[in-house]
Amino acid sequence: MDKQTPLVDMRDIHISFGGIHAVDHVSVDLYPGEVVGLLGHNGAGKSTLIKILSGAYQADGGEIYINGEKAEIHNPRDARKYNIETIYQTLALADNLDAASNLFLGRELVTPIGTVDDDAMEAETRKIMAKLNPNFQKFAEPVSALSGGQRQSVAIARAVYFDAKILIMDEPTAALGPHETQMVSELIQQLKTQGIGIFLISHDIHDVMELCDRASVMKNGELVGTVDVNDVTDDDLLGMIILGKRPEGVTVQG
Amino acid sequence: MQNQAKNLINKLGLDPRLLGMIGALVAIWVVFGIFTDGRFLSPRNFFNLSVQTASVAVMATGMVFVIVTRHIDLSVGSMLGFIGMAVAALQVQVLPDLVGLGHWSVWIIAVIAAILMGAVLGAFQGWIIGYLAVPAFIVTLGGLLVYRGAMWWVTEGQTQAPLDTTFRLLGGGAEGTLGESLSWIFGIVAALAAVALMLLSRRNKANHGFAVKPAWAEGILLAIAAGGIMGFVWIMNSYPISKGAMKRMTKAQGIEYTDGMVWNHGVAIPVVILLGVAIVMTVIATRTRFGRYVYATGGNPEAAELSGINTRWLTVKIFALMGALTGIAAVIASARLNAVDVGLGTLDELRVIAAAVIGGTALAGGAGTIYGAVIGALIMQSLQSGMASVGVDAPLQNIVVGVVLVFAVWVDIVYRRRAGA
């Protein structure tokens, strides 16, 4: 990576819950068109770190810079202002609403008199779903009636539709079959070419080796290090995740 | 045969649950009709039923939002009493000195005061629930006790009467109706509006290229809607005003009363208020961001929060709205009785919650409709009035209503499980 301005620069972030350092002075960064994998065991602090960026949690300390400027992110609305979109592991869908209502939740299209324009939203939803998942047909049903893959495409559509510059994907393929996983991989490649920066949280090393440019590994709330995936082997990454051991002979940031 | 019926319902795009509720309502009416030799099905009874339902139904529309967001409001009955008493005292003791007894502005001031008072009290409860994170059950249980006590304090327990004459019209009665001709006009306007709305929605859908119902299905629905409205007006217009009231009214209007003169009631003003509230609440529920957020928060509070919805502020707004509706209901209830004593509104919270729940509002949150709550209130009131007119003892009435409530919710749970929703 040439040293341009990072899209996201999280510096010295820390947060604790009831005396436990969930994230302990961690710094990570992300450049345009780059995919950075966040690796670690359950409870390593990856999701917590990323929820600070998406506004769901507020850090006890540390700074976030977006495009080199200091950003104040206090809630999910603030994060959306910086074009940060998140696909949560839980998908964060309101099960009782249909796909269009979920896609536009919090950002509804309205008619000139200020009422929500369901027909227009459904039309837009049909357009984007035709690109993302052409088999998707259940526009009238609540999303509780959808399969895991279909729900995932709604969550992805929501993140992609609103011109995300920074995309956070928390275990995007955890609940998916092989075909849908392939779909997500292709989507990530496509978004990269558009200059979008992606944080990909995963505990699947193969995913990370295949999709990511760099990988930041966390253990017990601390950053073990950030490496270029082309410089390391699967075993190097495993060593970082399990033992917290930095690989030798490789440039490690952080 | 069964499949054909299902097919027809599908084509018409009707909600099977709505049909079920209407079916239950009609069954109740028919049964009581038989037991009362048709008295229960008389225009007179339907008029009374519509007036008696109004106050609880108005509150039930607000309770839908409260329950959809997984809260509960146990305070509405006491709040209704407190507001009713305060507004009655305002009319009886305060306003006559300020603007004069019987002044034209008395009823307007009283209504505005009632709505404002409800909104402020509700907002305060919502603030405690949303921002201080005290469970709604506890906050409103406290409210139940506080308002009932405060009600007594307003007048040291004295009954307040009589109320302003114009104010009383809001409670129904012989004078408190639209009258015959206005009722017909009201019916025609409402029917035309319903038809126009349905056609507009159809055109919008067609413009976007979505599938629309077949024309014949749309035609049947239009006919049902328009026919239902006009049928209701016709029934209300078939209930003659009693001789005593006629003499009073003709005298007030300076018309000479003669034997054989017949005036009919028409649609009662509280029913017009209820219809207005129900329409506004339906628009809020289905056509505004606020309504969308209410349902989203009920379906998945975490997802709503992550989508940038300020769920705490939303809670304040929901309870403020519930309070404002309680204010309207207090106006209707006190105006109907033309007096407020310390018992006004007792146990209304349970009637309101039961109406919303019988109407298909899920206590687990996320689901519920305004029309369902109104029909639920009508079912409850029909049961109660029906048993009273058949001569069922009051204790047994409570037993039946209690059993029906539990049974109705069980049926709803079974239905949801089958429908997989």
Side-chain angles (χ1 to χ4, degrees):
Chain A
M1 281 273 126
D2 46 333
K3 282 293 147 198
Q4 53 189 136
T5 318
L7 201 52
V8 180
D9 190 359
M10 298 178 80
R11 294 184 196 163
D12 201 32
I13 301 291
H14 52 102
I15 186 172
S16 27
F17 298 108
I20 303 201
H21 297 287
V23 174
D24 200 357
H25 301 276
V26 170
S27 301
V28 291
D29 54 7
L30 176 69
Y31 289 86
E34 187 191 32
V35 182
V36 171
L38 277 175
L39 279 162
H41 280 308
N42 287 338
K46 342 180 266 290
S47 288
T48 309
L49 176 68
I50 231 62
K51 278 187 171 165
I52 291 169
L53 182 59
S54 67
Y57 293 150
Q58 284 214 61
D60 296 337
E63 285 157 351
I64 300 173
Y65 293 83
I66 307 285
N67 287 322
E69 283 174 32
K70 194 165 185 310
E72 297 291 340
I73 300 176
H74 300 294
N75 54 49
R77 272 159 284 153
D78 291 345
R80 285 183 164 188
K81 272 186 238 150
Y82 291 105
N83 292 354
I84 300 171
E85 295 290 336
T86 311
I87 300 166
Y88 292 97
Q89 192 174 0
T90 55
L91 301 184
L93 299 174
D95 278 340
N96 53 335
L97 303 183
D98 60 19
S101 302
N102 269 293
L103 204 155
F104 287 93
L105 191 56
R107 290 179 286 208
E108 287 75 10
L109 301 179
V110 292
T111 60
I113 55 166
T115 57
V116 293
D117 194 340
D118 281 319
D119 293 335
M121 289 192 279
E122 185 177 332
E124 287 298 304
T125 308
R126 282 174 187 269
K127 271 188 224 158
I128 187 162
M129 287 314 250
K131 280 188 230 158
L132 280 177
N133 185 355
N135 298 325
F136 191 93
Q137 284 305 328
K138 293 186 173 173
F139 292 98
E141 282 90 344
V143 295
S144 60
L146 307 185
S147 72
Q150 290 168 333
R151 290 162 57 83
Q152 186 82 44
S153 18
V154 175
I156 291 174
R158 175 167 59 182
V160 176
Y161 179 83
F162 292 97
D163 295 323
K165 298 277 186 296
I166 300 150
L167 188 58
I168 301 166
M169 300 174 112
D170 192 349
E171 303 277 5
T173 58
L176 299 186
H179 175 72
E180 285 146 333
T181 305
Q182 184 59 32
M183 185 190 89
V184 172
S185 311
E186 282 165 16
L187 179 72
I188 289 175
Q189 297 301 340
Q190 187 195 330
L191 294 172
K192 268 182 71 161
T193 59
Q194 296 169 11
I196 294 171
I198 300 175
F199 274 122
L200 180 68
I201 301 180
S202 182
H203 53 241
D204 184 336
I205 291 188
H206 300 291
D207 267 5
V208 172
M209 292 298 279
E210 189 193 320
L211 295 170
C212 297
D213 301 298
R214 288 185 299 152
S216 295
V217 180
M218 290 181 71
K219 183 171 165 38
N220 298 335
E222 290 174 19
L223 183 71
V224 176
T226 301
V227 293
D228 197 318
V229 291
N230 294 321
D231 297 346
V232 293
T233 62
D234 290 16
D235 287 343
D236 290 337
L237 280 179
L238 268 178
M240 292 174 80
I241 295 169
I242 299 170
L243 305 171
K245 191 181 73 160
R246 292 167 160 231
E248 284 163 31
V250 180
T251 329
V252 182
Q253 303 166 280
Chain B
M1 181 64 209
Q2 207 187 354
N3 274 340
Q4 274 177 4
K6 245 183 212 164
N7 219 344
L8 182 67
I9 292 170
N10 266 340
K11 281 242 172 69
L12 290 173
L14 288 176
D15 175 8
R17 184 186 279 126
L18 172 65
L19 290 179
M21 283 189 290
I22 292 175
L25 188 59
V26 170
I28 290 169
W29 287 352
V30 168
V31 169
F32 283 123
I34 293 169
F35 277 106
T36 55
D37 300 325
R39 250 188 309 127
F40 193 80
L41 300 178
S42 63
R44 175 198 154 109
N45 190 55
F46 279 121
F47 178 87
N48 287 336
L49 211 50
S50 72
V51 173
Q52 287 160 354
T53 304
S55 152
V56 166
V58 163
M59 291 190 281
T61 62
M63 193 61 82
V64 171
F65 284 6
V66 171
I67 297 179
V68 160
T69 48
R70 308 184 181 188
H71 295 302
I72 196 80
D73 192 338
L74 299 174
S75 71
V76 292
S78 294
M79 196 194 281
L80 181 144
F82 180 35
I83 295 173
M85 184 62 93
V87 171
L90 188 69
Q91 292 169 60
V92 174
Q93 296 177 10
V94 182
L95 288 178
D97 295 338
L98 279 181
V99 297
L101 190 66
H103 192 265
W104 59 268
S105 67
V106 168
W107 77 275
I108 299 174
I109 296 173
V111 169
I112 292 172
I115 296 174
L116 267 184
M117 201 174 150
V120 170
L121 292 175
F124 181 60
Q125 291 191 140
W127 175 76
I128 299 175
I129 296 161
Y131 286 88
L132 306 186
V134 182
F137 187 94
I138 300 301
V139 173
T140 58
L141 181 62
L144 181 151
L145 297 168
V146 169
Y147 301 138
R148 189 59 66 188
M151 180 187 188
W152 195 88
W153 248 8
V154 175
T155 58
E156 310 270 275
Q158 278 175 2
T159 299
Q160 296 296 301
L163 305 183
D164 179 71
T165 46
T166 317
F167 184 85
R168 266 154 60 190
L169 300 182
L170 303 174
E175 283 100 334
T177 69
L178 292 182
E180 248 174 296
S181 352
L182 213 53
S183 293
W184 282 123
I185 294 170
F186 171 76
I188 291 167
V189 170
L192 286 179
V195 169
L197 274 179
M198 287 162 85
L199 291 179
L200 205 65
S201 146
R202 183 183 171 83
R203 205 189 61 186
N204 262 340
K205 283 207 165 30
N207 280 349
H208 280 289
F210 302 161
V212 290
K213 292 169 202 158
W216 62 266
E218 200 88 54
I220 290 178
L221 288 179
L222 288 176
I224 293 176
I229 293 169
M230 295 314 286
F232 172 70
V233 172
W234 175 67
I235 292 173
M236 295 298 119
N237 269 346
S238 311
Y239 173 30
I241 296 173
S242 71
K243 270 189 186 165
M246 281 280 283
K247 281 181 185 152
R248 192 172 70 230
M249 287 163 73
T250 44
K251 198 174 162 198
Q253 292 179 24
I255 303 170
E256 199 185 340
Y257 175 77
T258 51
D259 277 341
M261 214 171 148
V262 178
W263 287 2
N264 287 304
H265 277 76
V267 180
I269 288 175
V271 176
V272 177
I273 296 174
L274 168 60
L275 282 176
V277 165
I279 290 169
V280 169
M281 287 296 285
T282 303
V283 170
I284 290 176
T286 57
R287 291 273 165 266
T288 66
R289 289 186 160 181
F290 170 68
R292 185 61 45 87
Y293 297 165
V294 166
Y295 284 85
T297 304
N300 187 345
E302 197 201 3
E305 188 87 40
L306 292 174
S307 299
I309 296 169
N310 188 342
T311 51
R312 294 170 163 204
W313 179 231
L314 190 75
T315 305
V316 175
K317 288 198 274 190
I318 289 166
F319 277 88
L321 181 60
M322 177 77 251
L325 291 168
T326 306
I328 295 175
V331 168
I332 296 174
S334 59
R336 185 162 82 86
L337 299 172
N338 187 22
V340 176
D341 65 31
V342 286
L344 184 72
T346 305
L347 288 185
D348 265 8
E349 60 279 346
L350 301 183
R351 293 193 189 99
V352 170
I353 293 167
V357 170
I358 286 181
T361 309
L363 284 167
T369 57
I370 302 300
Y371 63 76
V374 173
I375 297 175
L378 194 53
I379 289 177
M380 293 283 292
Q381 189 58 48
S382 298
L383 267 179
Q384 206 113 40
S385 309
M387 285 189 291
S389 58
V390 175
V392 177
D393 288 342
L396 188 57
Q397 285 184 26
N398 284 337
I399 293 174
V400 172
V401 170
V403 170
V404 166
L405 173 64
V406 176
F407 179 75
V409 172
W410 175 70
V411 169
D412 194 48
I413 288 171
V414 171
Y415 168 78
R416 270 176 225 269
R417 208 179 293 147
R418 292 242 176 109

